[in-house]
Amino acid sequence: MSAHCQLTGAKPGFGNAISHSHRRTSRRFDPNIQRKRYWLPSEGRHVRLTLSARAIKTVDTIGIEAAVARIRARGGQV
């Protein structure tokens, strides 16, 4: 599963892990990505979206129809 959100576009950030001795090694900050299935009434079908935890809360607020419209406006496929 690719670690990016279809709604917000959140993707991994990169940085350094710094040890006690201050040695630096590469690390990756992954967003909290979940696969969630929603019923899309306008199309009469379920859609499965890959969303961050923050985007799931956004869908709860604005509704699935508006969220799918935003995803399509970004050029995403649903």
Side-chain angles (χ1 to χ4, degrees), residues 34-54:
Q34 312 290 324
R35 282 181 57 86
K36 190 134 169 70
R37 197 176 116 176
Y38 290 99
W39 173 252
L40 194 58
S42 64
E43 298 181 17
R45 67 184 182 107
H46 284 97
V47 290
R48 189 177 300 275
L49 300 175
T50 305
L51 301 172
S52 63
R54 173 192 250 177

